[in-house]
Amino acid sequence: QMTSITLFVSLLGFLFSTSQAFSSYHLTSPRMNSPGEVTEHPFCNLPGDPSLILTTNVDLGDKKMEIMKACSKAIAKHTGKPESYIAVSITDNAAVIFGGTDAPTALGCLYSIGSIAQETNGFIQNDVTDLLEPYGVAEDRIYINFFDVPRANVGW
């Protein structure tokens, strides 16, 4: 029985070291510094990273796409990731309550491989809040959760 435990522990060690090497390989990318050449973000080069999923109970009408594009630009600005990698999904007119009331509100989740930091999350929160304020969503009625997702947990 001691042999099977030793074998199991060795296998776990091997799998962990292999996954670390795999993750390191995919998380690092060459950075080109030639003038005019776009450099890749040091944490990820996947489309859809970061991703903002926002749900609100207000009607954004024909301005919805404009708001989504503005959210995308704000995320790129504050995360340092190229806008071409960013995905934004907004569901408006949803059944949402916050604090026991259905007054205008919004709930969101921002997922990213790296680039989630207390120093920048507030800027993203403020920009999204400013975009929804004209629709009656007060700054104390919007909540965004920020998730720094390990590379191994993102499929593409």
Side-chain angles (χ1 to χ4, degrees):
Q1 183 174 19
M2 187 60 113
T3 306
S4 61
I5 291 173
T6 304
L7 179 62
F8 178 72
V9 169
S10 296
L11 181 60
L12 281 177
F14 172 76
L15 290 174
F16 179 75
S17 66
T18 303
S19 70
Q20 288 296 93
F22 179 78
S23 294
S24 295
Y25 173 77
H26 286 282
L27 289 176
T28 57
S29 59
R31 297 184 70 126
M32 307 291 186
N33 292 321
S34 301
E37 190 168 27
V38 177
T39 61
E40 294 182 3
H41 192 276
F43 297 112
C44 181
N45 59 359
L46 300 178
D49 170 61
S51 299
L52 173 66
I53 301 168
L54 191 66
T55 305
T56 181
N57 59 358
V58 299
D59 184 358
L60 301 177
D62 60 354
K63 298 293 184 184
K64 183 176 176 177
M65 186 58 66
E66 184 179 313
I67 292 167
M68 291 171 64
K69 289 178 179 180
C71 287
S72 181
K73 289 187 184 318
I75 293 165
K77 175 183 175 184
H78 299 300
T79 63
K81 295 204 178 184
E83 190 174 4
S84 61
Y85 297 170
I86 296 169
V88 175
S89 173
I90 297 179
T91 303
D92 60 347
N93 295 311
V96 183
I97 64 168
F98 186 148
T101 174
D102 65 349
T105 190
L107 305 173
C109 294
L110 181 72
Y111 303 93
S112 182
I113 299 171
S115 299
I116 298 293
Q118 186 174 355
E119 298 80 24
T120 57
N121 294 351
F123 293 120
I124 295 169
Q125 174 84 26
N126 288 341
D127 287 353
V128 174
T129 298
D130 290 347
L131 291 166
L132 295 179
E133 198 169 36
Y135 298 89
V137 180
E139 67 180 41
D140 63 345
R141 302 275 305 156
I142 181 169
Y143 203 83
I144 299 176
N145 292 293
F146 294 85
F147 298 95
D148 192 349
V149 184
R151 168 61 185 99
N153 292 349
V154 178
W156 177 66

